[in-house]
Amino acid sequence: MFRLRPLANGLRTDHPVPDLPFVDDAHIPIEKGPDAIEAIGRGVAEGMWGRCDRDRNGGWLAFTTDPLRTDLGWSVRYHPEHGMTVLLLDDRDTAALHEYWWGPPLLFRSGGYWWDGTTWYRPQQVWDGASERYERRPVRAATTIHAADLIDDHTDPTHGKILKVANFDKEATAVQGWPDHLAKWATARAERGDGLPLQECVVRLTAPELTGDHLVGIPELAELAGITSSTLRAYISRGENSIPLPQATVGGRSMWARPVAEDWAEARSKSSEGVKAAMASGDNDPLSRGAADVRERFTENFTRTLWERPAVRKRWTLRHRNEEAVRELANELAWEVAASLNRIIPTEELGSTIRHAVLDELANGGDSHEDLVDNQDWQFVGITLPVSRMLGWHVRHFPHSAQTVINDIIGEAERRLDMPRQVTIRSLSNALTMDSGLDGKTLEAYLKLVLPPENAS
């Protein structure tokens, strides 16, 4: 998930970021293209670097360390239709932005909201394991604000500034009266005669979910995630658990759009920790249900061995020991066995074997997969008893590993077999309902966490 914070806009950007200052980028040969930008920093000196990449549609990305301020770096993205974005960042962040920027997001606003040239989406947080990408969740009733919308008779370019990189203070990036700075930028662009018309230069978005009465603070965000406010503050201070960037700061307090907060809580519940908790055998017992079954079985075995066999018992039992004490010892021994289950069973190899077996079942389950979608919703491909039982056993004993296997099956069936994912999902759900050995409530909770959306976004 994108968490980097740009420090300033470049002069030639067609997508100025609100509230960030404008810095003159004339010493960076942006107009000469990505190779020239890369050459500024690539292998020039220690602590400097640059890179560029092109896409098939005529767009490109490039970044470079600033030659005057090697603690800063420029990141540039060009789209043949929507123009150019030029951002000044801490030089340590340019490579990470370059990697994340490759793909549909053209620009980011309001703590990770992003635009693909047509639609605004919420910050990417919920992973779709079958598609191997984050779910794209559109923003309801989003409106795009352009530079021309903010420049009017009340803006004065003489009050705006375009800073120089040599004396740029990256610790004090927020500016007052930003529309005046935007007007100054627009005047400079007009003098140079480059860039898109102001009516096409995207500045920000507005949406109902970003208004003040729809924002939540730390207490509400923590409540949605099922943790305490102090725990959430600790996560934020330590940079842990992928806390989304806030959408606003009100009175010095970070505030999040409720849908963003809900997405984070959902992503947290679908993490490996959330899946393990859903399949735990008890509130105070972190073992999965299958592992707990193994523990119970070995507890009985060890009890019989240590207590019920006189020849064994007389060698170690003492007068102050009793059956309850022996059972406690046996439970400890059984715990060791259950906790070591992943060393007893080759989990990775087992998961791969199950994946291939289920895909083979799906491939042989019928010639017309499209017919299964067109007919009633209950239709699915039947999976034979041994394979479905093995899949169920994997879910019971290794729920997090099984989550990966299930999503791999759905994704490969979609790509290799041209099987619509809703058919695969119904087939897996039906097999687990019949043969996993789990009660309906537990299985429903598990599948809700691990299954991807029925229609890829």
Side-chain angles (χ1 to χ4, degrees), residues 13 15 38 42 55 111 121 169 210 244 269 279 291 293 330 367 443:
T13 180
H15 304 123
E38 175 188 89
R42 191 176 185 89
D55 64 34
Y121 297 89
D169 182 5
L210 292 172
S269 71
M279 288 293 290
D293 291 344
D367 295 327
L443 180 60

Side-chain angles (χ1 to χ4, degrees), residues 285-402:
D285 191 346
L287 284 179
S288 68
R289 292 170 183 264
D293 291 344
V294 173
R295 180 187 61 190
E296 295 300 322
R297 186 161 57 250
F298 275 94
T299 296
E300 294 300 324
N301 290 346
F302 290 152
T303 300
R304 285 195 297 269
T305 299
L306 297 174
W307 184 256
E308 296 179 7
R309 294 172 57 186
V312 175
R313 182 174 62 184
K314 69 180 182 180
R315 291 203 303 263
W316 63 269
T317 189
L318 297 176
R319 184 174 301 174
H320 65 276
R321 289 179 178 159
N322 52 42
E323 183 176 357
E324 181 180 355
V326 174
R327 179 169 290 275
E328 291 176 357
L329 175 60
N331 185 66
E332 292 177 8
L333 295 173
W335 169 271
E336 292 297 326
V337 174
S340 302
L341 199 58
N342 62 329
R343 294 194 294 270
I344 299 171
I345 309 249
T347 313
E348 184 175 346
E349 292 79 2
L350 175 64
S352 179
T353 302
I354 293 172
R355 176 170 58 85
H356 284 288
V358 174
L359 285 169
D360 186 67
E361 296 281 312
L362 296 175
N364 295 326
D367 295 327
S368 180
H369 298 144
E370 291 296 335
D371 289 344
L372 294 172
V373 178
D374 295 336
N375 290 332
Q376 299 177 25
D377 289 341
W378 54 262
Q379 294 207 351
F380 54 86
V381 174
I383 298 175
T384 58
L385 185 60
V387 175
S388 61
R389 279 183 174 173
M390 200 67 240
L391 177 63
W393 187 94
H394 197 50
V395 168
R396 284 175 57 83
H397 291 77
F398 302 103
H400 178 51
S401 173

Side-chain angles (χ1 to χ4, degrees), residues 109-220:
R109 294 292 184 269
S110 301
Y113 280 73
W114 60 279
W115 185 65
D116 67 353
T118 304
T119 305
W120 285 98
Y121 297 89
R122 299 203 298 271
Q124 301 183 80
Q125 300 188 87
V126 181
W127 182 252
D128 178 350
S131 298
E132 297 184 344
R133 69 183 187 189
Y134 289 101
E135 291 185 33
R136 299 174 186 174
R137 300 187 167 183
V139 182
R140 230 177 126 256
T143 300
T144 302
I145 306 299
H146 299 86
D149 300 324
L150 300 179
I151 298 176
D152 54 27
D153 294 340
H154 299 288
T155 54
D156 186 350
T158 63
H159 292 164
K161 292 182 180 179
I162 295 176
L163 306 176
K164 296 294 184 180
V165 72
N167 54 14
F168 176 72
D169 182 5
K170 63 182 181 181
E171 301 300 328
T173 57
V175 294
Q176 300 297 320
W178 190 78
D180 292 337
H181 298 274
L182 180 67
K184 179 75 171 181
W185 161 83
T187 301
R189 288 174 83 250
E191 293 173 352
R192 295 171 59 162
D194 59 3
L196 295 174
L198 296 181
Q199 293 84 351
E200 299 178 30
C201 295
V202 177
V203 176
R204 57 162 67 101
L205 80 152
T206 62
E209 65 192 58
L210 292 172
T211 58
D213 56 346
H214 286 78
L215 299 177
V216 300
I218 284 181
E220 296 90 346

